Amino acid sequence: SQLDALGHRLEELQRWVRIEQATAWAETAPLTTRPVISVVMPTRDRADRLGEAIASVEAQTYQDWQLVVVDDGSTDSTASLLADRSTADGRILVATTTGIGAAAARNVGLDAATGDWVAFLDDDNMMHAGWLRAVAEYVGRTPDCTALYGAQLRDDVRGGDTVPWLLFDDEPSLERLVLNNTIDLGVLAVRAGHPELRFDEELSVYIDWELVVRLFRHALVHPVPVLASSYTSTSPTRITDRHGDEPLAAMRRRLAP
């Protein structure tokens, strides 16, 4: 009904206002700890987009970061781009693999990461400038937290809407997560050494979904209402672009209790 639609719209507006407020607060809130945060990013043949993704990490207001880029067998100008960027900034580390796939490439990145926390970014997406500072601020006042996630702006079409929309589940539950993932890898941060922080290399799709469910089964993954990243679905040759009804059904069966 029209009343239900208005109520849903009001909830969305309230969620957005809360995220705007929390994002602004995290930009200047006092930091009680300064963890090094490693950002793991696999890439393959996306030199035209990769530079912008790296720049979004370089633009972070929080400086204690490390970026681990795993070049998974690129044949374009990715190697030279990464050589230039890593030479210019010693916080950028480059690993090279030979077309092993998104999950295995991310595991190589995890092996190379030396930070206290690990965050993630796809090579065609952008990290919000305040995200890593927000992670540092939150874990400083929440010492029992081992994993958290923020909010994401997405440009993939939802219904007939072409305006970017907000992805943020402020009341997560394992029951809902095993049906549909509402936490993109680009908004996730996990404490280094977490027993579930590993990607299943047998999977070619829904890699992040499977990880998120395992994290939730281990301990609460804290929702943090701040902007983490912007997601685009317009890039060609996405690493995990073989989604469909049967892979979705298979993953739901796999994740079911």
Side-chain angles (χ1 to χ4, degrees):
S1 69
Q2 188 174 20
L3 187 58
D4 290 337
L6 287 173
H8 179 67
R9 180 59 177 159
L10 179 59
E11 288 179 0
E12 288 189 336
L13 288 172
Q14 290 172 331
R15 183 180 296 111
W16 175 245
V17 168
R18 181 186 176 208
I19 287 170
E20 279 190 312
Q21 292 170 334
T23 300
W25 165 255
E27 291 174 356
T28 57
L31 298 177
T32 59
T33 59
R34 297 195 68 92
V36 175
I37 305 174
S38 295
V39 180
V40 172
M41 180 197 302
T43 189
R44 184 170 64 223
D45 292 334
R46 293 256 187 84
D48 58 330
R49 302 295 297 271
L50 178 60
E52 293 182 351
I54 293 174
S56 73
V57 179
E58 294 173 324
Q60 291 297 299
T61 59
Y62 184 75
Q63 296 299 305
D64 296 336
W65 53 261
Q66 172 194 54
L67 174 60
V68 181
V69 185
V70 183
D71 180 4
D72 189 30
S74 294
T75 58
D76 61 0
S77 59
T78 293
S80 59
L81 184 155
L82 290 176
D84 291 343
R85 300 298 272 265
S86 60
T87 299
D89 192 329
R91 294 172 295 179
I92 300 176
L93 176 67
V94 179
T96 303
T97 50
T98 56
I100 59 178
R106 288 190 176 103
N107 284 336
V108 169
L110 290 175
D111 290 337
T114 59
D116 306 295
W117 281 76
V118 180
F120 302 93
L121 184 65
D122 285 347
D123 58 4
D124 57 347
N125 294 334
M126 303 284 285
M127 182 175 286
H128 187 271
W131 172 232
L132 296 185
R133 192 183 197 282
V135 172
E137 190 277 328
Y138 185 83
V139 302
R141 60 183 167 85
T142 318
D144 63 334
C145 176
T146 59
L148 59 90
Y149 66 93
Q152 185 178 68
L153 287 172
R154 301 175 66 95
D155 76 346
D156 51 337
V157 175
R158 185 175 61 170
D161 195 356
T162 58
V163 177
W165 58 280
L166 182 71
L167 176 69
F168 183 66
D169 186 355
D170 49 6
E171 294 182 352
S173 74
L174 186 57
E175 291 76 16
R176 290 204 309 275
L177 276 173
V178 299
L179 295 176
N180 290 290
N181 186 26
T182 55
I183 302 172
D184 185 78
L185 193 60
V187 304
L188 189 67
V190 185
R191 189 185 298 274
H194 192 296
E196 297 294 341
L197 184 53
R198 205 73 184 167
F199 293 92
D200 188 336
E201 297 183 12
E202 295 183 358
L203 296 176
S204 60
V205 295
Y206 302 125
I207 300 165
D208 52 346
W209 186 9
E210 192 270 344
L211 172 65
V212 165
V213 170
R214 279 192 284 113
L215 291 171
F216 259 87
R217 286 196 164 121
H218 179 82
L220 174 68
V221 181
H222 294 226
V224 180
V226 300
L227 282 176
S229 65
S230 297
Y231 171 97
T232 177
S233 61
T234 58
S235 295
T237 65
R238 298 184 65 85
I239 282 181
T240 55
D241 210 16
R242 295 192 295 274
H243 296 234
D245 292 341
E246 178 49 36
L248 175 62
M251 181 54 67
R252 284 173 172 164
R253 290 192 297 269
R254 173 177 177 151
L255 297 177

